[in-house]
Amino acid sequence: MKAIVYDRYGSPDVIRHADVPTPAIRPDQVLVRVRACSLNFGDRAALLGEPRLIRLAFGLRRPKAPILGRDVAGTVTEVGAQVTAWQPGDDVFGEVNQRGFAEYVAVPAAHLARKPAGVTFEQAATLPVAASTALQALRLGGVTTGTRLLVNGASGGVGTFAVQLAADLGARVTGVCSTRNAELVRSLGAEVVDYTREDFTAADRGYDVILDLAGGHPLGAYRRVLAPGGVYLSSSGAGGRTLGPIPHLLKVTAAGVVARQRLRVVANRRDTADLDHLAALIAAGRLTPVIEHVRPLAEAAEAFRAQLADHARGKTVLTV
C-alpha cells in the first residue's frame, strides 16, 4: 500500500509517498480502507519534532512511527476475531495513534464511530481531533445560552468548530482572527476582533469564557478581560522550540489553584460518543466543517508546506 512516511524530523522535504506493507490486525482491531484523512497541529509537531520535548514520546533521534496522521475516515475491509460491532463494508471514522496517512490502517474497533450517510468522508475526517477538542472545551467551560465567549484563534481547525458549536448553543461569540479570515469567522456566527488592528486584551470587556487556541498574550492579560468567576481555557500549542506551551500550561495550572477565576488546561480525550454527536450535527445541517484545501494523499508534503506558511483556515483534508 501507499503511505506518507518519514524517517527523520524536519521540513516537509523529508516526507515520502512510498510503498509499505499493509498492516496486519490484532483480534480487537479492524482494517480500514482510508478514504480521507486530515491534518492537525499534532501532525505538524510530529513532522518537525518540535517542540523538542515531544521527542521523549515520539523518538529522541528519529520518529518511532514512520507514518504520520491521526484523523481518518474510510470503510472497514477486515475485522478481528474479537470484533462484533463492525463488519466489512461499514463506513467509519475516528482517531488513530499516527499511521493514518495511508491507504489502509489497523484501528482498535472501540476507537471508531459510524459515519452517517449524510456526512462525506472528507467531513468525517475533520472531526476526531479538532471538533472533539472544541466540543470538550465548551463543555469544560460550561458554555450555554447567553454565555459571553471569546475564541482566540477562531479561524483554525479547532476554532472554526468552537465558534459554530457555541453559536448553536446560543452563546454570544467573539472570534479573534486576522483580516484575511474575518469574513469567514463572521459567517460562522461570531463578532470579530481583528488582532492585526486591535488587542482584545486591552478592551474594557468581561468575557464569561475565554478559549485560547492561539496564545500570544501573558496569562494576566487574559485574566484582565475575564469576568470575575469566569473560565479561561488553554489549548494552545504556541511556545518555544524546546518546551512549547508547557511553561504557559504550568502557569495556568498553578494559578488555577488559588484564583477566583477558573483556569483550566484543555486535554482532548478520545470519545466515540462525541464523534457520534458531532456527525449527527453535520447530518442535521447544524455544523459544517470548514475545509480550506482538499488534496490527494500524494500531495501531503505540499499540504504541510501550506499549513506552515499561513495561519490555519479551517482544516486541510487528504483524499486516498
Side-chain angles (χ1 to χ4, degrees), residues 1-4 17-18 20 32-39 67-69 71-75 99-105 121-122 125 293-300 316-320:
M1 71 171 188
K2 292 288 188 181
I4 299 303
H17 184 231
V20 298
V32 175
R33 171 67 170 93
V34 180
R35 298 285 299 276
C37 41
S38 73
L39 274 64
I67 302 175
L68 289 162
D71 284 356
V72 300
T75 304
R99 299 180 173 84
F101 293 172
E103 291 180 329
Y104 291 89
V105 62
F121 286 105
E122 291 82 2
H293 298 295
V294 177
R295 299 175 182 267
L297 182 68
E299 295 181 7
T316 293
V317 172
L318 302 174
T319 55
V320 185

Side-chain angles (χ1 to χ4, degrees), residues 85-194:
W86 305 110
Q87 59 185 4
D90 287 341
D91 291 334
V92 296
F93 68 106
E95 180 186 349
V96 302
N97 296 324
Q98 292 194 273
R99 299 180 173 84
F101 293 172
E103 291 180 329
Y104 291 89
V105 62
V107 190
H111 293 179
L112 294 170
R114 188 176 302 278
K115 184 189 77 66
V119 177
T120 68
F121 286 105
E122 291 82 2
Q123 290 175 324
T126 68
L127 298 177
V129 174
S132 290
T133 299
L135 178 63
Q136 292 167 16
L138 297 181
R139 286 176 179 161
L140 182 61
V143 175
T144 186
T145 302
T147 299
R148 296 167 298 174
L149 168 70
L150 180 131
V151 180
N152 183 31
S155 63
V158 178
T160 51
F161 282 118
V163 169
Q164 292 183 77
L165 290 168
D168 187 64
L169 290 170
R172 296 159 54 190
V173 187
T174 299
V176 181
C177 62
S178 66
T179 306
R180 168 179 177 258
N181 296 319
E183 190 52 44
L184 165 66
V185 172
R186 191 174 290 111
S187 72
L188 300 178
E191 175 187 343
V192 171
V193 173
D194 182 346

Side-chain angles (χ1 to χ4, degrees), residues 11 46 91 96 126 135 211 235 251 265 302 305 314:
S11 73
D91 291 334
V96 302
T126 68
L135 178 63
L211 175 55
S235 183
K251 290 178 183 178
V265 173
E302 288 78 2
R305 289 189 186 98

Side-chain angles (χ1 to χ4, degrees), residues 24-78:
I25 59 172
R26 300 193 308 262
D28 66 332
Q29 292 182 323
V30 301
L31 187 67
V32 175
R33 171 67 170 93
V34 180
R35 298 285 299 276
C37 41
S38 73
L39 274 64
N40 290 291
F41 179 86
D43 300 315
R44 183 176 71 182
L47 170 63
L48 300 175
E50 292 181 359
R52 292 188 178 92
L53 186 66
I54 70 168
R55 299 189 187 193
L56 294 174
F58 285 76
L60 288 176
R61 296 185 177 180
R62 60 182 60 87
K64 294 178 183 178
I67 302 175
L68 289 162
R70 294 171 62 190
D71 284 356
V72 300
T75 304
V76 174
T77 62
E78 183 183 347

